[in-house]
Amino acid sequence: MSIDRATAAKVAKLARIRVEEADLPALADEFNAILGFIEQLQELDVSDVEPMVSVTPMRLARRVDAVTDGDRQAQVLANAPDAREGFFAVPKVVE
């Protein structure tokens, strides 16, 4: 698969990145290099590789699966720009 200037321009537009017309060939080359690397990775045989969470072997911390109310209302509301009566206050959006 090869990325041309038009496709690079479309990707930049979808990503809302302004790219000058003169920079589009370099961007297309970067996309092609990335896709080439992905194609190389797809050629590898990983059938004997176990899925992993991290590159270092470690066990995930476990906790009791218990339902609680969180008991952190004050801490959470401290981050709110506007809180009233224990709730987030938001501007009215529908009239």
Side-chain angles (χ1 to χ4, degrees), residues 25-47:
L27 181 63
D29 289 342
E30 286 184 43
F31 285 150
N32 285 322
I34 292 168
L35 291 176
F37 182 68
I38 292 172
E39 287 175 359
Q40 286 180 2
L41 290 176
Q42 289 178 342
E43 294 172 3
L44 294 175
D45 179 23
V46 294
S47 58

Side-chain angles (χ1 to χ4, degrees), residues 3-55:
I3 303 291
D4 59 354
R5 288 171 53 136
T7 306
K10 184 175 181 179
V11 170
K13 181 179 179 183
L14 291 171
R16 300 187 191 279
I17 300 171
R18 182 176 54 214
V19 178
E20 301 297 328
E21 190 69 30
D23 295 332
L24 283 175
L27 181 63
D29 289 342
E30 286 184 43
F31 285 150
N32 285 322
I34 292 168
L35 291 176
F37 182 68
I38 292 172
E39 287 175 359
Q40 286 180 2
L41 290 176
Q42 289 178 342
E43 294 172 3
L44 294 175
D45 179 23
V46 294
S47 58
D48 294 333
V49 178
E50 299 249 348
M52 57 185 176
V53 177
S54 174
V55 294

Side-chain angles (χ1 to χ4, degrees), residues 66-71:
V67 178
T68 66
D69 66 351
D71 197 30

Side-chain angles (χ1 to χ4, degrees), residues 71-90:
D71 197 30
R72 296 182 181 193
Q73 182 182 23
Q75 292 171 330
V76 172
L77 291 177
N79 295 321
D82 188 11
R84 298 181 196 154
E85 299 176 16
F87 297 98
F88 291 105
V90 295

